[in-house]
Amino acid sequence: MESYKGKVAVITGAASGIGRALADRCVKEGMKVVLADVEEVALQNAERELRAKGAGVLAVLTDVSKESDVQALARQTVDAYGAVHLLFNNAGVGSGALLWTSTVADWQWVMSVNLWGPIHAIRAFVPIMLEQQTECHIVNTASRAGLETGPGLGIYRMTKHALVSMSETLSHELKMIQSSIGVSVLCPGFVRTQICDAHRNRPTELSGPNDREMPSPMDIQLDQMMRKAVSNGMTPEEVADITFAAIQNRQFYILPDPEAKQAVQVRLEDILNDRNPSFLIPAAFN
Ligand SMILES: NC(=O)c1ccc[n+]([C@@H]2O[C@H](COP(=O)([O-])OP(=O)(O)OC[C@H]3O[C@@H](n4cnc5c(N)ncnc54)[C@H](O)[C@@H]3O)[C@@H](O)[C@H]2O)c1
């Protein structure tokens, strides 16, 4: 984008982790920010802290899995600031069970946030951006897990692979109609956030541990490995900086973790050489 100053950014999952770091970076660039999150107290704190820095901030309590909430988010953005230039579809959750021990509620919860969230946002915001006819950019936060294969986090992996595909199609379609909207898909490796405690925002109607028997030893081991890898991961601020550099270059694939490229290569070689799926064990697990 030519310049960010005075422009408007909408960030889902803005109250914590990567979303919060993206919001900080937008404010540093002189943008007005719309913070969308389902966690009310964290959202209020983020709004207060950013306002104290003199930023134009609108906080909208939003459950991205609900179409009506995302449509209301788009309306409130336009009512408050008259436009939207940057959209970060960033809210996401994970569930760690093995595929056959995951409950229907596990599937519904993770798919509703990680897949239906971006679907609702694309439907709500792209028409507004097209009408504006100004330079805009959409960043969908997928994951390294959306590019590689491996055991565990199966529902999460599937949603992130789908989000990579959705982003690729969106990019092709917006180019096909010669729009001024750029698209990127952010695929981080491990990042020091609260992702391992995503269940804190799980709705009671899709309640978790009670509708599953005790987690298996394998589930517990996977959870421990994830927590260790995340606590040793990149900082959200590093990811935000890499993301802004990519927006500037209109770069589509954003892979902050160099190891992710190796994993992509192994996967593509498996496919091209008729090999069964390999698992490149992330170094952060050791
Ligand atoms: N942390 C990592 O290692 C990592 C790696 C790759 C990708 N990601 C992705 O990064 C994104 C951000 O996650 P994070 O790591 O910052 O975790 P986080 O838990 O710190 O932040 C996620 C935010 O999303 C919000 N959220 C959850 N459900 C929501 C809903 N239904 N509606 C609106 N907001 C909701 C949470 O309240 C939270 O503020 C996610 O899409 C995640 O999958 C994270």
Side-chain angles (χ1 to χ4, degrees):
M1 289 182 83
E2 290 277 296
S3 132
Y4 298 105
K5 203 164 174 49
K7 302 235 170 97
V8 182
V10 176
I11 305 147
T12 70
S16 171
I18 298 171
R20 178 56 208 273
L22 288 168
D24 285 340
R25 178 64 197 258
C26 289
V27 167
K28 245 191 221 162
E29 297 288 343
M31 300 187 83
K32 297 166 192 148
V33 289
V34 181
L35 312 175
D37 207 288
V38 77
E39 194 171 341
E40 193 163 11
V41 174
L43 180 65
Q44 286 165 352
N45 290 341
E47 180 187 27
R48 198 185 51 248
E49 286 163 20
L50 290 176
R51 223 171 244 152
K53 292 183 181 168
V57 185
L58 173 71
V60 183
L61 188 64
T62 308
D63 180 345
V64 295
S65 70
K66 296 195 171 121
E67 184 187 10
S68 54
D69 277 22
V70 180
Q71 290 288 345
L73 172 67
R75 268 196 312 276
Q76 288 188 54
T77 300
V78 174
D79 287 350
Y81 296 132
V84 55
H85 303 96
L86 262 185
L87 169 66
F88 293 97
N89 278 318
N90 169 76
V93 294
S95 176
L98 298 169
L99 286 181
W100 58 93
T101 59
S102 297
T103 64
V104 169
D106 290 335
W107 283 91
Q108 286 173 332
W109 175 52
V110 179
M111 286 170 70
S112 74
V113 180
N114 295 7
L115 269 187
W116 280 101
I119 293 168
H120 294 320
I122 286 166
R123 294 188 66 259
F125 284 97
V126 171
I128 295 170
M129 290 177 164
L130 287 174
E131 188 141 323
Q132 275 172 208
Q133 298 191 339
T134 52
E135 214 190 348
C136 295
H137 204 94
I138 299 170
V139 179
N140 293 328
T141 308
S143 168
R144 167 183 166 164
L147 297 169
E148 64 182 0
T149 67
L153 280 180
I155 309 173
Y156 182 81
R157 279 181 197 283
M158 185 211 67
T159 60
K160 296 300 187 180
H161 272 265
L163 187 53
V164 170
S165 170
M166 200 192 301
S167 309
E168 288 167 336
T169 304
L170 183 64
S171 170
H172 283 301
E173 291 182 353
L174 290 170
K175 205 164 158 194
M176 185 181 73
I177 62 162
Q178 294 172 338
S179 84
S180 51
I181 309 173
V183 180
S184 299
V185 65
L186 171 60
C187 301
F190 300 101
V191 188
R192 254 175 270 162
T193 70
Q194 298 190 75
I195 191 77
C196 292
D197 296 307
H199 284 258
R200 70 194 186 279
N201 292 312
R202 188 167 171 154
T204 42
E205 67 271 21
L206 295 177
S207 68
N210 292 342
D211 61 9
R212 181 163 64 229
E213 287 177 23
M214 288 298 289
S216 69
M218 183 78 89
D219 289 336
I220 293 168
Q221 199 190 345
L222 275 171
D223 182 61
Q224 284 168 349
M225 283 160 72
M226 279 300 298
R227 282 181 190 277
K228 186 176 157 210
V230 164
S231 68
N232 291 326
M234 294 179 92
T235 66
E237 292 73 23
E238 286 173 292
V239 175
D241 288 345
I242 291 167
T243 304
F244 264 76
I247 297 171
Q248 202 59 39
N249 297 330
R250 290 223 148 202
Q251 180 186 327
F252 178 83
Y253 296 105
I254 313 175
L255 276 64
D257 174 0
E259 201 184 46
K261 290 193 178 172
Q262 264 174 277
V264 170
Q265 187 169 359
V266 169
R267 176 168 187 253
L268 292 183
E269 283 172 3
D270 286 345
I271 294 169
L272 293 171
N273 295 315
D274 302 322
R275 276 192 325 232
N276 291 350
S278 313
F279 177 39
L280 187 74
I281 299 170
F285 281 178
N286 296 319

